[in-house]
């Protein structure tokens, strides 16, 4: 619905997970309707079917890497586009029902990724506790609330929702871990350029062409467009056939990136545009600033060169 603010949101559920916590940082979602989905595919299909205006799904984690199911879903089926990214610090807590002390915890519910990221803390503080795998951080919190387990490793929002007592916070072994989420909608005009944007693409190379991947990278390098991420996923067609997911600095409206996209169209088997959207500056003090273009390849240099060419074509040689 181009031009219409979204009001119906779906997210990878259940309730009380980092996905819900991330979605609630989006002002429109905090005011709108939020519905959990059982899977990434179900969330995105709800948008495709018009049952929701936008879906929030995980893209990558700084510890676990890319979320393959999300990339696969974006590369296949009816096209969708990313309109916003949300980067959320992953801060696990250990929570229990009221009245249970840390020394009394004998069983801990946790999603496998959560227990893996808190392995050191569990070893040091609960070496004799049994860790039980559950399907989500939300399910862990629900299990602790019902008394099925003594405690849960969960997101802060899960402890709050299930009225659990936090026995310990920030228990992850990597305190700077973050998860990147994407807000995905049906195709429409992208948000206007901000000067600090990301463009995401799914690129299919010609596998019978020598140097095909190098040709893709050259389209960006020769125009000073920085690639911040490149990820390969099998297409499912045959062994050795891959689709490459690229994140690059810039907006589809930018001249340099626009020329790069035209180049990809010429040299690739297929290119799927996954969106141009503002980059989430989650830690401005860190080294997450845009990489400047090399000398001669800035937007100003491109504008000057285009103006010079126009003068030549008009017969003006000075």
């Amino acid at each position: 619905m181009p031009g219409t603010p979204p009001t119906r949101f779906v997210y990878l559920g259940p309730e009380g997970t980092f996905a819900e916590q991330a979605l609630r940082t989006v002002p429109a979602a905090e005011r709108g309707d939020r519905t959990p989905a059982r899977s990434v595919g179900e969330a995105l299909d709800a948008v495709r079917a018009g049952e929701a205006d936008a879906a929030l799904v995980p893209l990558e984690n700084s510890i676990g890497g890319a979320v393959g199911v999300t990339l696969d879903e974006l590369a296949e089926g009816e096209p969708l586009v990313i309109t916003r990214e949300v980067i959320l610090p992953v801060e696990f807590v250990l929570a229990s029902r009221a009245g249970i002390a840390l020394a009394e915890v004998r069983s801990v519910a946790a999603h496998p990724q959560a227990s893996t990221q808190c392995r050191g803390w569990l070893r040091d503080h609960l070496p004799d506790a049994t860790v039980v795998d559950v399907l989500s951080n939300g399910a862990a919190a629900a299990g602790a609330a019902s008394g099925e387990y003594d405690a849960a490793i969960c997101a802060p929002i899960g402890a709050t929702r299930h009225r659990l007592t936090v026995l310990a916070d920030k228990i992850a072994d990597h305190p700077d871990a973050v998860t990147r989420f994407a807000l995905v909608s049906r195709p429409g005009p992208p948000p206007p350029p901000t000067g600090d944007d990301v463009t995401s693409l799914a690129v299919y190379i010609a596998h019978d062409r020598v140097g095909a991947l190098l040709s893709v990278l050259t389209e960006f390098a020769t125009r000073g467009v920085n690639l911040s991420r490149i990820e390969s996923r099998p297409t499912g067609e045959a062994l050795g056939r891959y689709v490459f997911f690229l994140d690059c600095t810039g907006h589809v409206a930018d001249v340099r990136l626009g020329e790069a996209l035209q180049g990809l169209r010429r040299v690739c088997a297929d290119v799927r545009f996954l969106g141009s959207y503002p980059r989430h500056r989650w830690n401005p003090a860190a080294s997450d600033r845009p990489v400047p273009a090399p000398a001669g390849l800035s937007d100003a240099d491109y504008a000057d060169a285009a103006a010079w060419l126009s003068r030549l074509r008009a017969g003006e040689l000075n």
Side-chain angles (χ1 to χ4, degrees):
M1 298 188 307
T4 303
T7 59
R8 301 171 301 158
F9 296 85
V10 63
Y11 62 93
L12 178 61
E15 296 179 339
T17 60
F18 286 111
E20 183 188 7
Q21 190 171 328
L23 180 60
R24 298 192 71 156
T25 67
V26 179
E30 182 66 10
R31 296 189 300 267
D33 296 325
R34 301 177 300 275
T35 304
R38 291 171 295 182
S39 66
V40 170
E42 182 179 284
L44 297 182
D45 283 344
V47 177
R48 291 184 172 111
E51 298 167 359
D53 301 323
L56 189 97
V57 291
L59 269 183
E60 61 177 322
N61 178 270
S62 60
I63 304 299
V67 180
V69 64
T70 300
L71 298 182
D72 293 342
E73 287 286 344
L74 290 175
E76 301 170 0
E78 190 175 336
L80 296 169
V81 292
I82 301 170
T83 59
R84 183 180 185 135
E85 68 173 2
V86 177
I87 297 178
L88 187 75
V90 179
E91 297 181 350
F92 289 107
V93 301
L94 183 79
S96 68
R97 299 181 309 286
I100 297 180
L102 181 63
E104 299 171 328
V105 172
R106 295 292 178 266
S107 61
V108 178
H111 186 276
Q113 289 185 357
S115 58
T116 297
Q117 293 189 44
C118 301
R119 183 187 294 119
W121 190 93
L122 289 168
R123 181 189 62 237
D124 295 340
H125 296 86
L126 292 173
D128 298 324
T130 299
V131 178
V132 182
D133 290 346
V134 294
L135 293 177
S136 70
N137 297 314
S146 69
E148 187 176 358
Y149 310 103
D150 294 335
I153 295 175
C154 60
I157 191 175
T160 301
R161 182 176 296 278
H162 293 279
R163 299 181 180 180
L164 299 175
T165 299
V166 174
L167 300 178
D169 63 358
K170 298 183 179 180
I171 65 174
D173 298 336
H174 299 276
D176 296 326
V178 297
T179 296
R180 178 182 176 220
F181 295 88
L183 189 67
V184 180
S185 302
R186 293 182 294 281
T194 66
D196 189 8
D197 301 291
V198 177
T199 293
S200 296
L201 308 165
V203 173
Y204 298 80
I205 66 173
H207 296 278
D208 57 351
R209 176 181 170 185
V210 175
L213 181 56
L214 178 60
S215 297
V216 169
L217 301 179
T218 300
E219 294 295 336
F220 294 104
T222 56
R223 295 174 176 87
V225 176
N226 182 57
L227 286 179
S228 57
R229 184 175 71 93
I230 178 168
E231 186 88 23
S232 64
R233 294 284 300 168
T235 63
E237 299 172 354
L239 188 65
R241 301 291 178 127
Y242 292 90
V243 54
F244 293 86
F245 293 89
L246 310 177
D247 283 346
C248 51
T249 300
H251 192 281
V252 66
D254 297 341
V255 174
R256 288 187 296 137
L257 184 55
E259 287 194 5
L261 293 179
Q262 291 181 66
L264 294 183
R265 176 73 175 179
R266 293 193 302 268
V267 303
C268 293
D270 192 18
V271 180
R272 175 170 282 200
F273 176 72
L274 299 180
S276 289
Y277 46 92
R279 192 165 65 95
H280 185 169
R281 294 291 300 278
W282 66 277
N283 187 5
S287 58
D288 67 337
R289 301 180 183 279
V291 176
L297 294 176
S298 68
D299 290 336
D301 294 326
Y302 263 71
D304 177 71
W308 174 75
L309 181 58
S310 296
R311 293 195 300 272
L312 294 183
R313 288 171 171 171
E316 302 171 10
L317 303 184
N318 54 7

